[in-house]
């Protein structure tokens, strides 16, 4: 095991973790605040990536603007999903789970129809490779990681330091008490969807120039995000972050050292053990 | 009088089903009915588990345990089908009891996620280990033979076998539904704690329901394996589990016949879309979304929902 390989694995796991965390943050907020399970979150990520393809590659809009537009569009889409389907299901995880499965079927297959069965590529936004200490890192990866960290920190600060963030946490703890204190619970629900989808779309958009695009690219990260939020604690933002790094490290190191399938099996087994013995996860709030 | 005519209707339906292969030997129609039959068993059994309040997302895993179990018993131990069928069902039920013992005390979304992980784990095990044939799966599974009657490629024999399995499954489900167990399951679904407080052994009931449901799912899997003569890890996929839930929910969870109707209707619908695979999934997804959003009781509840809706006008 050379230092080169080790360094490579560390940076790989960092970047992979950050993407998972961005997706997991939205999921954990949605569960914590609205008690809904959204299996279709990965599809938002996928649409974010394809948004970049259409805006940047086909329409020629510069990448940063394309990213912002894609995020805004998908945030709006999330609000629409809430208005149409999930608002009436708030508090019931079972119908929302099944409904989101239906959405996955629709979105993935609409994706196949519109985007076609050939994997698409988005050209790199930044060229060049940075080399330090014998490890070579493409610059675009560094940019993605920095952007993801910025979003993550912004998200954390928002939830913990702003008034609206406190309102969200209040609703998470007790919606009735929060509304008695003047919090517009319905608006917080919309906000949760908007933030969650914005983060997932941003993750997709950041990833678009790095990896290949296809309509089912969201399935694997979403699945991993679910594992992360359970291990980290459903509803907990710091839990999603810690769980995300843990997961990313195990997945990358395990994948390289003992193979991806065995690593996946181990991760699922860890998840099951967590659910049986510590369902609140590492940092979660107790189940009401 | 009404009850009597409903029984006659069922008898007539049964006679019709028995006579189908006499009416048509068309392998296409028999094939569709066989596919429908397998999905009926899956939908009806998954409903049983959901009715105890546990949302299982790994039903296909138990289906596949029956499939792989029966296959391995036939290929490696050389057992005849009349042994591998019940044995694979029993094997699946035993594994279900063990898994259930550990996981059925978890409730709600955690149970859903845990079973989801379990299902994926099972599929990965099939993919990774060559004992199960890896990603290719296992092929050349021997066709069933019962005391001298060898199945051949004609689907008629398979049809009757499946009809027998479905009748067995549905009969057991109906008896359970109307028995004290059925009432206890309802109580448990409404409230675990309350049921426990009136003396119902919640865990034992949940495990029983889970084991029975998985037994029949295993039988269905065994049937599927010897019908297709090959199996692969895709039979344990998350989407197979999801479709079972889809059929049950769309049909309506209120009665045993709900999933039967759901499975029948959706299987027939999918035949029209067989040349447009993406549209078929979009249709399924849309039906599921609309059902949950507007008709949570499913097709079963549709007549009363419509009359209620008309009554408000």
């Amino acid at each position: 095991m050379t230092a080169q390989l080790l360094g490579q694995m560390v940076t790989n796991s960092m970047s992979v973790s950050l993407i998972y965390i961005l997706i997991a943050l939205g999921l954990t907020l949605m569960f914590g605040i609205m008690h809904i399970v959204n299996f279709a979150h990965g599809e938002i990520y996928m649409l974010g990536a394809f948004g970049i393809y259409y805006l940047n590659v086909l329409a020629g809009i510069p990448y940063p603007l394309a990213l912002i537009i894609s995020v805004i569009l998908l945030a709006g889409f999330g609000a629409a999903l809430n208005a149409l389907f999930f608002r009436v299901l708030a508090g019931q995880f079972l119908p929302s789970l099944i409904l989101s499965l239906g959405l996955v079927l629709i979105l993935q297959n609409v994706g196949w129809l519109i985007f076609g069965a050939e994997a698409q590529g988005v050209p790199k936004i930044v060229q060049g490779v940075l080399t330090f200490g014998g490890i070579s890192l493409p610059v675009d990866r560094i940019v993605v990681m920095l952007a993801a960290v910025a979003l993550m920190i912004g998200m954390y600060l928002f939830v913990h330091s702003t008034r609206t963030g406190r309102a969200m946490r209040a609703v998470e703890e007790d919606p009735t008490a929060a509304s008695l204190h003047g919090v517009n619970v319905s608006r917080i629900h919309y906000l949760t969807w908007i933030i969650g989808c914005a983060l997932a779309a941003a993750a997709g958009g950041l990833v678009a120039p790095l990896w290949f695009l296809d309509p089912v690219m969201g399935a694997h990260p979403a699945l991993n995000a679910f594992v992360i939020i359970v291990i980290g604690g459903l509803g907990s933002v710091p839990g999603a972050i810690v769980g995300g790094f843990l997961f990313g490290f195990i997945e990358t190191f395990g994948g390289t050292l003992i193979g991806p399938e065995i690593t996946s099996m181990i991760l699922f087994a860890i998840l099951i053990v967590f659910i049986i013995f510590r369902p609140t996860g590492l940092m979660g709030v107790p189940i009401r | 009088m009404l009850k009597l005519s409903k029984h006659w209707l069922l008898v007539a339906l049964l006679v019709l089903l028995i006579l189908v292969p006499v009416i048509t030997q068309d392998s296409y129609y028999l094939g569709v009915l066989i596919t429908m039959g397998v999905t009926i068993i899956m939908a009806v059994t998954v409903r049983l588990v959901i009715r105890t309040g546990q949302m299982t997302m790994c039903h296909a895993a138990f289906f596949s345990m029956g499939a792989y179990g029966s296959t391995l018993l036939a290929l490696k131990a050389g057992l005849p089908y009349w042994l591998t069928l019940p044995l694979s069902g029993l094997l699946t039920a035993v594994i279900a009891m063990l898994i259930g013992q550990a996981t059925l005390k978890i409730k709600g979304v955690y149970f859903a996620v845990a079973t989801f992980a379990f299902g994926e784990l099972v599929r990965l095990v099939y993919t990774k280990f060559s004992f199960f044939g890896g990603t290719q799966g296992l092929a050349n599974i021997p066709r069933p033979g019962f005391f001298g009657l060898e199945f051949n490629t004609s689907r008629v024999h398979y049809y009757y076998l499946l009809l027998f399995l479905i009748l067995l499954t549905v009969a057991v489900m109906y008896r359970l539904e109307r028995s004290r167990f059925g009432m206890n399951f309802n109580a448990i679904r409404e409230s675990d704690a309350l049921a426990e407080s009136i003396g119902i052994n919640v865990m034992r009931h949940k495990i029983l329901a889970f084991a029975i449901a998985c037994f029949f799912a295993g039988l269905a899997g065994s049937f599927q394996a010897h019908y297709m003569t090959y199996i692969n890890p895709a039979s344990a996929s998350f989407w197979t589990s999801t479709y079972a839930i889809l059929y049950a929910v769309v049909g309506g969870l209120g009665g045993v016949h709900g999933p039967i109707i759901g499975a029948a209707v959706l299987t027939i619908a999918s035949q029209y879309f067989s040349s447009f695979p993406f549209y078929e999934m979009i249709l399924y997804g849309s039906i599921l979304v609309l059902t949950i959003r507007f008709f949570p009781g499913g097709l079963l509840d549709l007549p009363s929902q419509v009359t209620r809706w008309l009554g408000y006008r």
Side-chain angles (χ1 to χ4, degrees):
Chain A
M1 163 95 69
T2 61
Q4 157 89 359
L5 183 62
L6 188 64
Q8 205 71 53
M9 292 206 289
V10 167
T11 43
N12 276 353
S13 66
M14 281 286 291
S15 45
V16 145
S17 300
L18 285 166
I19 298 295
Y20 289 157
I21 289 174
L22 287 180
I23 301 175
L25 282 174
L27 272 180
T28 204
L29 279 180
M30 276 188 222
F31 183 80
I33 294 178
M34 296 181 286
H35 279 283
I36 64 175
V37 178
N38 181 18
F39 269 102
H41 209 59
E43 272 51 58
I44 308 286
Y45 161 87
M46 179 266 288
L47 289 172
F50 273 98
I52 299 292
Y53 176 73
Y54 279 96
L55 292 171
N56 179 244
V57 174
L58 293 183
I61 300 174
Y63 179 80
L65 189 59
L67 187 60
I68 295 176
I69 296 179
S70 178
V71 165
I72 292 179
L73 283 176
L74 283 162
F77 182 60
L81 285 179
N82 187 33
L84 286 171
F85 302 119
F86 288 95
R87 191 167 43 95
V88 301
L89 297 177
Q92 312 168 54
F93 88 92
L94 189 57
S96 63
L97 191 153
I98 304 178
L99 196 148
S100 68
L101 285 175
L103 282 176
V104 172
L105 277 173
I106 298 177
L107 291 173
Q108 270 188 2
N109 287 281
V110 165
W112 282 119
L113 283 178
I114 299 183
F115 308 138
E118 306 130 30
Q120 305 286 2
V122 173
K124 288 181 196 265
I125 45 159
V126 195
Q127 302 293 338
V129 170
L130 212 63
T131 318
F132 56 93
I135 310 165
S136 46
L137 261 185
V139 177
D140 57 354
R141 268 234 170 155
I142 300 179
V143 171
V144 164
M145 278 170 34
L146 289 176
V149 168
L151 282 170
M152 208 174 81
I153 294 180
M155 170 69 204
Y156 183 82
L157 287 176
F158 177 77
V159 168
H160 278 261
S161 308
T162 67
R163 199 172 161 144
T164 319
R166 250 176 298 141
M168 286 172 86
R169 279 184 291 140
V171 172
E172 181 169 349
E173 210 170 295
D174 188 337
T176 315
S179 80
L180 283 174
H181 280 261
V183 172
N184 186 335
V185 176
S186 173
R187 216 189 288 174
I188 295 292
H189 286 182
Y190 275 104
L191 190 61
T192 308
W193 268 95
I194 289 174
I195 293 180
C197 290
L199 286 172
L206 286 173
V207 149
L210 294 183
W211 301 330
F212 280 115
L213 275 60
D214 71 64
V216 291
M217 63 189 277
H220 181 74
L223 170 58
N224 294 336
F226 264 102
V227 177
I228 290 171
I229 65 176
V230 173
I231 292 181
L234 285 170
S236 157
V237 166
I241 296 177
V242 168
F245 281 120
L246 211 63
F247 186 95
F249 271 88
I250 296 180
E251 193 190 54
T252 309
F253 278 76
T256 315
L257 298 173
I258 52 178
E261 294 105 349
I262 307 268
T263 312
S264 287
M265 288 198 268
I266 293 178
L267 285 166
F268 284 130
I270 293 178
L271 174 67
I272 296 175
V273 164
F274 254 92
I275 293 185
I276 295 179
F277 295 107
R278 199 188 159 89
T280 51
L282 295 170
M283 300 184 171
V285 291
I287 318 168
R288 236 165 292 134
Chain B
M1 269 293 82
L2 199 64
K3 202 175 167 200
L4 198 62
S5 67
K6 191 161 100 160
H7 280 155
W8 283 121
L9 200 64
L10 284 173
V11 171
L13 185 62
L14 187 63
V15 169
L16 184 65
L17 285 173
I18 292 178
L19 289 180
V20 160
V22 174
I23 303 172
T24 166
Q25 300 274 321
D26 188 322
S27 139
Y28 171 71
Y29 288 119
L30 286 179
V32 171
L33 288 172
I34 289 175
T35 306
M36 193 189 297
V38 176
T39 57
I40 286 177
I41 297 184
M42 288 297 279
V44 160
T45 50
V46 86
R47 174 191 171 273
L48 178 61
V49 183
I50 296 180
R51 291 291 279 188
T52 57
Q54 308 285 137
M55 183 63 177
T56 170
M57 311 271 295
C58 65
H59 210 56
F62 293 100
F63 173 79
S64 71
M65 281 183 211
Y68 274 92
S70 182
T71 304
L72 289 167
L73 284 172
L75 287 179
K76 312 262 178 175
L79 294 180
Y81 189 63
W82 60 268
L83 271 182
T84 66
L85 176 63
L87 281 179
S88 61
L90 281 170
L91 175 70
T92 311
V94 165
I95 298 180
M97 278 196 282
L98 292 172
I99 302 288
Q101 185 67 50
T103 57
L104 283 170
K105 53 180 180 282
I106 312 166
K107 287 175 261 188
V109 64
Y110 293 103
F111 181 76
V113 176
T115 49
F116 176 47
F118 177 70
E120 285 296 292
L121 192 65
V122 167
R123 192 182 56 82
L124 283 169
V125 166
Y126 294 145
T127 316
K128 187 65 185 169
F129 296 107
S130 56
F131 180 66
F132 299 105
T135 40
Q136 308 283 25
L138 298 165
N140 296 316
I141 302 175
R143 295 186 182 276
F146 289 97
F147 310 107
L149 172 70
E150 288 290 329
F151 282 34
N152 52 33
T153 49
S154 136
R155 292 178 172 172
V156 176
H157 298 139
Y158 284 109
Y159 176 83
Y160 282 119
L161 174 62
L162 185 61
L163 186 60
F164 168 71
L165 290 175
I166 294 177
L167 290 173
L168 188 65
T169 309
V170 171
V172 169
M173 293 293 148
Y174 262 114
R175 291 296 296 147
L176 270 180
E177 187 86 359
R178 275 151 183 69
S179 72
R180 204 183 72 238
F181 280 115
M183 289 195 283
N184 290 345
F185 292 150
N186 287 336
I188 293 170
R189 183 185 68 257
E190 295 299 323
S191 166
D192 265 33
L194 207 54
E196 187 108 36
S197 76
I198 60 172
I200 298 176
N201 186 335
V202 170
M203 269 306 278
R204 195 163 343 143
H205 278 75
K206 284 188 182 180
I207 295 179
L208 180 71
F210 197 54
I212 293 178
C214 292
F215 172 75
F216 287 109
L219 290 186
S222 160
F223 173 86
Q224 176 93 329
H226 293 262
Y227 169 64
M228 308 279 283
T229 70
Y230 72 87
I231 47 167
N232 57 30
S235 60
S237 82
F238 165 66
W239 284 114
T240 310
S241 302
T242 306
Y243 287 152
I245 298 174
L246 171 70
Y247 302 136
V249 167
V250 167
L253 294 173
V256 178
H257 45 297
I260 299 178
I261 298 175
V265 166
L266 288 176
T267 308
I268 295 177
S270 83
Q271 293 307 312
Y272 288 101
F273 285 83
S274 51
S275 29
F276 313 106
F278 300 131
Y279 290 100
E280 177 186 341
M281 307 293 175
I282 295 176
L283 179 74
Y284 274 9
S286 312
I287 291 179
L288 188 58
V289 168
L290 290 172
T291 303
I292 296 281
R293 178 68 178 84
F294 298 111
F295 308 104
L299 287 170
L300 275 191
D301 213 32
L302 199 59
S304 47
Q305 259 216 307
V306 170
T307 33
R308 253 179 286 145
W309 188 70
L310 288 174
Y312 285 140
R313 288 276 161 143

